[in-house]
């Protein structure tokens, strides 16, 4: 783990040295490009969200949750399965 951290530190130090070696004008230009890219991505995501929410027929239906166990009308399924499993384990039934 220490070796990985040392390698990462060395890599980031080299990256920082390369960044500082760039002329100041180029640093500003790269920063501006990254900011514009981030801004375009943000506008695209907000636009997509607005488009999706403005569609008609995008209604949410709220209903009661039905228990899937009760959908089966088999009374044998309604038994407490945990107690049955524990009883089977205690008495070694299968």
């Amino acid at each position: 783990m220490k070796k990985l951290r040392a390698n990462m530190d060395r890599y980031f130090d080299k990256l920082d040295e390369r960044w500082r070696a760039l002329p100041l004008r180029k640093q500003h230009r790269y920063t501006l490009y990254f900011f514009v890219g981030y801004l375009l991505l943000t506008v695209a995501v907000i636009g997509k969200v607005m488009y999706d929410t403005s569609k008609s027929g995008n209604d949410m239906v709220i209903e009661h949750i039905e228990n899937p166990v009760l959908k089966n009308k088999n009374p044998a399924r309604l038994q407490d399965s945990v107690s049955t499993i524990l009883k089977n384990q205690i008495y070694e039934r299968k």
Side-chain angles (χ1 to χ4, degrees):
M1 191 68 172
K2 290 182 182 180
K3 187 176 180 180
L4 176 66
R5 185 177 180 134
N7 286 339
M8 286 177 52
D9 284 340
R10 261 188 264 122
Y11 173 73
F12 287 128
D13 287 340
K14 287 179 186 177
L15 207 58
D16 189 43
E17 288 172 13
R18 287 178 55 195
W19 176 256
R20 291 178 191 266
L22 287 174
L24 194 59
R25 188 173 185 92
K26 213 169 202 177
Q27 286 181 5
H28 285 286
R29 188 173 295 147
Y30 281 139
T31 305
L32 183 65
Y33 289 154
F34 285 127
F35 177 71
V36 168
Y38 178 75
L39 188 65
L40 288 173
L41 184 65
T42 302
V43 168
V45 168
I46 290 173
K48 175 73 171 139
V49 169
M50 288 176 61
Y51 173 74
D52 287 345
T53 56
S54 68
K55 281 185 182 177
S56 62
N58 203 6
D59 299 329
M60 182 185 299
V61 178
I62 299 175
E63 298 177 350
H64 290 287
I65 300 173
E66 295 180 18
N67 189 347
V69 174
L70 296 178
K71 286 183 181 179
N72 298 336
K73 300 297 181 187
N74 188 356
R77 284 292 243 170
L78 298 177
Q79 294 178 4
D80 187 12
S81 60
V82 174
S83 64
T84 306
I85 292 171
L86 289 176
K87 285 179 184 177
N88 288 343
Q89 286 178 352
I90 292 171
Y91 298 112
E92 298 180 4
R93 297 182 200 159
K94 292 195 181 200

